[in-house]
Amino acid sequence: TKDAAEKEIDNHSISIKSNGGGVGKTTIAALVCVRGDIRTRYRHGLAWLNNEKQRHSLDYESYCKSLSEICMQLGLLPQKLKLTPFIRCPCEDDAVAKYRMVSYMKEAFANMGQLLMLHRKKHSRGEDARQVNFLIVFDGIIDESDVDWFLFRDSNDGYVLNDLLVTSNLAIRGLEHNVVVPPLNKRESIRLLLMESHLSNHTLAKNSHALGLVKKCLYHPLTIKFVGRWMNLKRVTAGGQKGVEEIIKEINSSLGEVDDSASLIDILFTVLSQASSPLVKGTHTKIVKLCFAAFVLVFCHKRGKVQVSLDIAEGLFVKVVETVSEILAKEDPLFQSHGRLATKLVPEILGALGVFNIVKHSTVSSDSGKPDSSIEIEYDLVHLFGEYLLRNDETMRSLVSEAESRWNQAYVKSYYESKRNYLWDDSSPNRMNKYALRYLPTHLILAEMLEDAEALLRNESYIRGRCSSFGWIEGIRSHVKDAEGLWASLRSSKNYADASATLLATFEQLEFMIKDEVSRNDSNSSCSNLEAGRCLHEFSLSLAKIGLWKESSRFCDSCLSLVAQNIWSSELVAALLYNSSVIHVENNKLDLAEERIEQCLNIVAKSIGLESVLYLKAVNQLGCVLSDRRDFRAAEDCFGKVITALKQTTGRYGIEFGTSLYKMGRIKHRQGQLDEALICYERALDCEKKGLGPHHVFVANAIMQIADVFLRQELFEQAERNYEKCLEVLSHDGALPLRGRVILCVVNGKLLGLRNQFEEAVKKYEEALLLIREDPSPSAKMKEARTLVMIALEYEKKYEYDSSERCLEESIAALKSALGTMHLDIATVLVNLARVKIANHKYVAASECLEEAMHIQKSNLGDGEEVANTLCVYASCLKVCGDFENAETAYHGAMQMIKSSDGGRDSVSLVGPLLGMADLMNIIGEYDEASEYYVECLEIQKIAFGKIHDSIANTLYAMGLLKHNQRNFARSVVFFKKSVDIRIKLHGETHPLVGDTYNMLGFVEAKNGNLDGSLRCLENALKVRQMLGDRLKEAETLLNIGHVHREKDQFELAIEHYDDCMSIRIAALGSNDATVAEAYMALGNVKSDMKRLDEALSSYNEALQIVESVHGKDDPKVGSILQKMGMLQFRSGSLVGAKSSLEKVVRIYRKAGKEYEPHVLKPLFILGNIYNILRQKDEAHSVWEDAYQRSIAIGDEADQDMHDALSRLVNAH
């Protein structure tokens, strides 16, 4: 195999691989490298990277260390690499951080290539510049993607600058040659067995039992090594009473028959299991395996290879055995004979077997005076055997069950008993204490000794000892990691606030110590300003991670002040300023956020340049700040600048490009520019898929935004499809982060809402709320507020306005608690609340909401478009209240604001107030003025959007209503037809707006006398609404169809449609709803036409009961129904009943005020007739006189025919 490796060294990249560990890959690589001809060939240098302790693929920090090692071994100065510090961003997504880290690694890779190229040119001495003179050996690679990072290239022509030799258990794809280390042959296997069993002079080559034994080992070197060590141990402990052949037979017997399907791992684990559980008095002892499993779980789990002091290990073994002494006393022969002293044999046995590598050190133990010794597990396969004992070995189940807490506690107790009077900040800690300085808090947390862990983390002596031993930055990073682990454990046993307070107190103490160390400013101070700043930055990131943004910002600012004292112009400071801006945005400190990011931009522009990715990233952040301030135009400029700059480099900076597109899309979305928003979202989605993979939560979020756009465009099928895509993306991640779980609930809620499954939708939103409330940060409060708005919208769709109001009020409270009382998001929700209150007929409360919203908007933005939009809603509220004069003033004010801020009469923003003003003029009967406003609005829309656009269809629809009010039904039909044509072209035949327009067109056609045309339009509307499943609108159309059939004297068809309408409304809204009363009234009317007076009266009475229940007995709507009933009773000759009904009508209308004076005349006129028929002449004259005087007072509003009749009747009497 060594020869094969030497032969293939002419290739640029070689892999020495095996199908498992322990076969000699490292040895082969070393033998190749020590050859003289290899040394001669690679005279410019050979670098060896040992990756045996690295249990994960490369990150930026480990890559930089590897590059520095290469430089030092090749005689180059590492500082010439000019490595840029990688500064993590607060709460940055792991995948995004990895993507960003890779871009830093690419920069370091390029710098290393440049350095090697210069070094080669310097020493080439006229040789071919392309001849490779460097060899890099990467021993123990665990991720094949790491290989490419060590094949450095000439930046000009891409030529490879070094050869690469790697050892691995993997077949590395892409390498030019893989040398596979085969199993040993029989001869090699026997030789290894003899060597490891210390029987090198013994003749076993022809021994059938020995040959059978190495065959059972599948000729695997590591397995044979352990068998040889086992043979030697058995021989030594037998004291010469057993021969070699007898021992071999015993081992063969212990291993049993090997199944053909047995793997190398199976055989190895069997060997280790049998070797580490020797027979004592005819029974296998479990103590050795128990102690080994404890060593792996306590010291090696998730850490890879560590050296552990022998004293620590022996102390652990004693304590572990004590925890299960009752079981061992019954079952284990070694414990029965030796008690806990049996643990003294464990290191000797495992060391003799080669399971433990016992390392002797030159230092002397301060406790025992003996030379220090450490234990380590040399082979990964042996470590896996320990994991197997913990999880899969049924014989150990009772001993290892739920052991993590017990065994870590055992280590802690053992350590504290041996620690005695050692001071943590001793200048020369021994190995046992140095291990404790690095790992003791972790063991305390795993042991569930949380109070002790908290006390240790706040022990000044321990902190100083840790930082003294490992350096301030590494020491503080370890401390932060442990503090976060403590926080996570405390959180499950305490409430969130208590756990967070503990974490914060720990960091504040560390801050005090760090600043005290820096302030000493003498030669004894071991912490520089830069180190102190980076330590504080670690606190800032940690607090941001758990949502303590206010505290995070303070540490970030302290970090900046320390670092900037010495290196104000560096990229490091710029990165810290960027982070500070991000944190201040989360805290809603937008002024500070903008100030920090502008400082960052100034530094980057001067020190790195305007083309650097950090500069563009900072411009993007400035856009985010400006967007939060609602300065959308400036924000768009920022995002546009980044998009333009990165358009040509999306391969390298795809995430930054995608982020800017997404942010641009959010602005377009908020401004109602939905087509533009959709384009941005779709391009952002492509970038995120390429950069983060197809199943990342950011991908799901982009798809959700696309679906939201379709939903707002009322393209329901596309919306539903995209929501389902979003769920599909999220379903691929079995362990979604909190944000992903929130999106999952929200998207499910939107889908259910889209499918009219109201209650289920609300439940999903409430699930999202529970998840969001796990996070105490201001941004989480904003998410909570947005989710409450979604719930409010669901209630609004069901006309449950009180519940909708409650959710919106909770949303406002959440925003105010996080952002203060003057944030623009509060104004947005106040406007939504006002709309709901208007729908709920709470006009005064709605006005108050709008006034507060405008106050917030003016305070933040001055008079501008956003205030104008709210002023339009305010005007609408006044219009509904009948305060037409103030409504007109408000609309004029809105138009003036837009003209002043947006530059002219052709601004699209004028459409809102123009339409509002036109509608107002329509209501008050100023039809010519209304028409002028509509025409002006239409001209602006056509200039902005062309002839086919939703907004144009909306204006034409409003103009149709205007002509209807003018009773110019023919022109009204024309406008509605134009509106429906545009909507069909834009959305197809089955869009809700098409159904709405057909419904109105049918209604107006009936008024225009075209009953057949009316039915055709209404049937079209019914078809659309049935396809969409909008049952309430379907009921509305059925009612209108019934009206047309009544007009055509097709009474049975009318009744059939009225009945269908009523059934739908009762099923959807219950039997006590005002719209059900409307259907009863329609039935009463048609039955009255059919002379089925009793049935008509019964229907009117049903309607009366509902309206009285909903609106009260004195509501004018009750009077209207009673009037119908009175007239019907009068016609049927039921004069007493008619008299009673009409007297109630008169009382209700008089109580309603002057507005209803004209309505009183007819009931009084009929009442007079009833009195006259009943021969109650005086009462008849009195009633007619009253009616006559009221008619005179009303003037032009009175019915002239009725006035003349009353005049004749009064004068005749």
Side-chain angles (χ1 to χ4, degrees), residues 427-454:
S427 58
S428 302
N430 61 22
R431 281 181 170 76
M432 179 171 65
N433 293 322
K434 198 162 186 177
Y435 177 90
L437 284 169
R438 186 179 289 279
Y439 295 119
L440 185 56
T442 303
H443 289 297
L444 285 166
I445 293 166
L446 292 172
E448 299 176 9
M449 301 169 68
L450 302 184
E451 291 183 5
D452 297 282
E454 182 179 348

Coordinates of all heavy atoms in Angstrom, one line a residue, residues 427-454:
S427 N -1.3 30.1 39.5 CA -0.6 30.4 38.3 C -0.2 29.1 37.5 O 0.1 29.2 36.3 CB 0.6 31.3 38.5 OG 1.5 30.6 39.4
S428 N -0.1 28.0 38.2 CA 0.4 26.7 37.5 C -0.6 25.6 37.9 O -0.2 24.7 38.7 CB 1.8 26.4 38.0 OG 2.7 27.5 37.7
P429 N -1.7 25.5 37.3 CA -2.6 24.4 37.6 C -2.1 23.1 37.1 O -1.6 23.1 36.0 CB -4.0 24.9 37.0 CG -3.6 25.8 35.9 CD -2.3 26.5 36.4
N430 N -2.3 22.0 37.8 CA -2.0 20.7 37.2 C -3.0 20.3 36.3 O -4.0 21.0 36.0 CB -1.7 19.7 38.3 CG -3.0 19.5 39.2 OD1 -4.1 19.7 38.7 ND2 -2.8 19.0 40.4
R431 N -2.8 19.1 35.7 CA -3.7 18.7 34.6 C -5.1 18.5 35.1 O -6.1 18.8 34.4 CB -3.2 17.4 34.0 CG -2.1 17.6 33.0 CD -1.5 16.4 32.3 NE -0.6 16.7 31.3 CZ 0.6 17.2 31.4 NH1 1.1 17.3 32.6 NH2 1.3 17.5 30.4
M432 N -5.2 17.9 36.3 CA -6.6 17.7 36.9 C -7.3 19.0 37.1 O -8.5 19.1 36.7 CB -6.4 17.0 38.2 CG -7.8 16.7 38.9 SD -7.6 15.6 40.3 CE -6.6 16.6 41.4
N433 N -6.6 20.0 37.6 CA -7.3 21.3 37.8 C -7.5 22.1 36.5 O -8.5 22.8 36.4 CB -6.5 22.1 38.8 CG -6.4 21.5 40.2 OD1 -7.4 20.9 40.6 ND2 -5.3 21.5 40.9
K434 N -6.6 21.9 35.6 CA -6.8 22.6 34.3 C -8.0 22.0 33.6 O -8.7 22.8 32.9 CB -5.5 22.4 33.4 CG -5.4 23.4 32.3 CD -4.0 23.5 31.8 CE -3.9 24.7 30.7 NZ -2.6 24.9 30.2
Y435 N -8.2 20.7 33.7 CA -9.4 20.1 33.1 C -10.6 20.7 33.8 O -11.6 21.0 33.1 CB -9.4 18.6 33.3 CG -10.6 17.9 32.8 CD1 -10.7 17.5 31.5 CD2 -11.7 17.8 33.6 CE1 -11.8 16.9 31.0 CE2 -12.9 17.2 33.1 CZ -13.0 16.7 31.8 OH -14.1 16.2 31.3
A436 N -10.6 20.9 35.1 CA -11.7 21.4 35.8 C -12.0 22.9 35.4 O -13.1 23.3 35.3 CB -11.5 21.3 37.3
L437 N -10.9 23.6 35.1 CA -11.1 25.0 34.7 C -11.8 25.1 33.3 O -12.6 26.0 33.1 CB -9.7 25.7 34.6 CG -9.1 26.1 35.9 CD1 -7.6 26.5 35.7 CD2 -9.9 27.2 36.6
R438 N -11.6 24.1 32.5 CA -12.2 24.1 31.2 C -13.6 23.5 31.3 O -14.5 24.0 30.6 CB -11.4 23.3 30.2 CG -11.9 23.4 28.8 CD -11.0 22.6 27.8 NE -9.8 23.2 27.6 CZ -9.5 24.3 26.7 NH1 -10.5 24.8 26.1 NH2 -8.3 24.7 26.6
Y439 N -13.8 22.4 32.0 CA -15.1 21.7 31.8 C -16.0 21.5 33.1 O -17.1 21.0 33.0 CB -14.7 20.2 31.4 CG -14.1 20.2 30.0 CD1 -12.8 19.6 29.8 CD2 -14.8 20.6 28.9 CE1 -12.3 19.6 28.6 CE2 -14.2 20.6 27.6 CZ -13.0 20.0 27.5 OH -12.4 19.9 26.2
L440 N -15.5 22.0 34.3 CA -16.3 21.7 35.5 C -17.7 22.3 35.4 O -18.7 21.6 35.8 CB -15.5 22.2 36.7 CG -16.2 21.9 38.1 CD1 -16.4 20.4 38.2 CD2 -15.3 22.4 39.2
P441 N -17.9 23.5 34.9 CA -19.3 24.0 34.9 C -20.2 23.1 34.1 O -21.4 22.9 34.4 CB -19.2 25.4 34.3 CG -17.8 25.8 34.6 CD -17.0 24.5 34.5
T442 N -19.7 22.6 33.0 CA -20.5 21.7 32.1 C -20.9 20.5 32.9 O -22.1 20.0 32.8 CB -19.7 21.3 30.9 OG1 -19.3 22.5 30.2 CG2 -20.5 20.4 30.0
H443 N -19.9 19.9 33.7 CA -20.3 18.7 34.4 C -21.3 19.0 35.5 O -22.2 18.2 35.8 CB -19.0 18.1 35.1 CG -18.1 17.5 34.1 ND1 -18.4 16.4 33.4 CD2 -16.8 17.8 33.7 CE1 -17.4 16.0 32.6 NE2 -16.4 16.9 32.7
L444 N -21.2 20.2 36.2 CA -22.2 20.6 37.2 C -23.6 20.7 36.6 O -24.6 20.3 37.2 CB -21.8 21.9 37.8 CG -20.6 21.8 38.8 CD1 -20.0 23.2 39.1 CD2 -21.0 21.1 40.1
I445 N -23.7 21.3 35.4 CA -25.0 21.4 34.7 C -25.5 20.0 34.4 O -26.7 19.8 34.6 CB -24.9 22.3 33.5 CG1 -24.5 23.7 33.9 CG2 -26.1 22.3 32.7 CD1 -24.0 24.6 32.8
L446 N -24.7 19.2 33.8 CA -25.2 17.8 33.4 C -25.5 17.0 34.7 O -26.4 16.1 34.6 CB -24.1 17.1 32.6 CG -23.8 17.7 31.2 CD1 -22.6 17.0 30.6 CD2 -25.0 17.5 30.3
A447 N -24.9 17.3 35.8 CA -25.2 16.7 37.1 C -26.4 17.2 37.7 O -26.8 16.8 38.8 CB -24.0 16.8 38.0
E448 N -27.0 18.3 37.1 CA -28.2 19.0 37.6 C -27.9 19.6 39.0 O -28.8 19.9 39.8 CB -29.4 18.0 37.7 CG -29.8 17.5 36.4 CD -30.9 16.4 36.5 OE1 -31.5 16.3 37.6 OE2 -31.2 15.8 35.5
M449 N -26.6 20.0 39.2 CA -26.2 20.8 40.4 C -26.2 22.2 40.0 O -25.1 22.9 39.9 CB -24.9 20.3 40.8 CG -24.9 18.8 41.2 SD -23.2 18.1 41.5 CE -22.7 18.9 43.0
L450 N -27.4 22.8 39.7 CA -27.5 24.1 39.1 C -27.0 25.2 40.0 O -26.4 26.2 39.5 CB -28.9 24.3 38.6 CG -29.4 23.3 37.6 CD1 -30.8 23.7 37.0 CD2 -28.4 23.1 36.4
E451 N -27.3 25.2 41.3 CA -26.9 26.2 42.2 C -25.4 26.2 42.3 O -24.8 27.3 42.3 CB -27.5 26.0 43.6 CG -29.1 26.3 43.6 CD -29.6 26.1 45.0 OE1 -28.9 25.9 45.9 OE2 -30.9 26.2 45.1
D452 N -24.8 25.1 42.3 CA -23.3 25.0 42.4 C -22.7 25.5 41.1 O -21.7 26.2 41.1 CB -22.9 23.5 42.6 CG -23.3 23.0 43.9 OD1 -22.7 23.3 44.9 OD2 -24.3 22.2 43.9
A453 N -23.4 25.2 39.9 CA -22.9 25.7 38.7 C -22.9 27.3 38.6 O -22.0 27.9 38.2 CB -23.7 25.1 37.5
E454 N -24.1 27.8 39.1 CA -24.2 29.3 39.1 C -23.1 29.9 40.0 O -22.5 30.9 39.7 CB -25.6 29.6 39.6 CG -25.9 31.1 39.6 CD -27.3 31.4 40.1 OE1 -28.1 30.5 40.2 OE2 -27.5 32.6 40.4

